[in-house]
């Protein structure tokens, strides 16, 4: 039983920045990786970024590479997604999730526990 709570979403103008947080808790916080995903209305959920629990290796979707940065604070059991140079096409509900093991790092079907999501809207 893992619980994840996202926060930090909001409305920003194109070119702006947001920092999302994902707090992880539960009976055990053991997981192989934690990832960020997003889903826009009428579109399927897509992987954005993930970070491994053991070595801290990071992975990014091509669409956000160079603009987004994933990081973690183990003492706080929190993972962050720093989003810079935001574009209207980044508008979506953003979710964090954990995986016990992975074949493909950004495949949402491999993640087991999910947060409730936080809305990010990029608009002028």
């Amino acid at each position: 039983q893992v619980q994840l709570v996202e926060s930090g979403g909001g409305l920003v103008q194109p070119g702006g920045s947001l920092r999302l947080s994902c707090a992880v808790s539960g009976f055990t916080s053991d997981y192989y990786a934690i990832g960020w995903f997003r889903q826009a209305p009428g579109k399927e959920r897509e992987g954005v970024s993930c970070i491994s629990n053991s070595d801290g290796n990071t992975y990014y979707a091509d669409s956000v590479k160079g603009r987004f940065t994933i990081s973690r604070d183990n003492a706080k059991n929190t993972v962050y997604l720093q989003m810079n140079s935001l574009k209207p096409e980044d508008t979506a509900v953003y979710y964090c999730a954990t995986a016990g093991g992975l074949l493909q790092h950004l495949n949402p079907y491999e993640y087991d526990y999910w947060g409730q999501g936080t809305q990010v809207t990029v608009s002028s």
Side-chain angles (χ1 to χ4, degrees):
Q1 185 175 335
V2 179
Q3 296 175 341
L4 305 98
V5 179
E6 303 96 333
S7 62
L11 173 65
V12 296
Q13 293 186 331
S17 298
L18 282 175
R19 187 195 192 198
L20 305 183
S21 299
C22 176
V24 183
S25 63
F27 291 106
T28 177
S29 295
D30 291 338
Y31 56 87
Y32 177 78
I34 185 166
W36 285 98
F37 301 81
R38 65 187 183 186
Q39 188 165 25
K43 302 183 69 176
E44 70 176 20
R45 190 166 299 184
E46 64 175 343
V48 175
S49 181
C50 76
I51 184 168
S52 66
N53 189 50
S54 57
D55 57 17
N57 285 348
T58 59
Y59 305 85
Y60 297 92
D62 289 341
S63 59
V64 306
K65 193 172 298 181
R67 300 188 297 122
F68 292 9
T69 303
I70 191 170
S71 62
R72 67 183 182 187
D73 185 336
N74 289 334
K76 297 180 179 179
N77 264 2
T78 301
V79 177
Y80 304 96
L81 184 68
Q82 178 67 47
M83 305 186 296
N84 298 325
S85 302
L86 284 163
K87 306 174 181 179
E89 50 263 46
D90 295 318
T91 296
V93 177
Y94 283 71
Y95 302 88
C96 62
T98 57
L102 292 172
L103 297 175
Q104 300 173 312
H105 290 94
L106 298 181
N107 182 355
Y109 295 102
E110 298 191 39
Y111 287 74
D112 299 310
Y113 297 97
W114 294 80
Q116 83 289 346
T118 184
Q119 177 71 49
V120 172
T121 303
V122 185
S123 176
S124 59

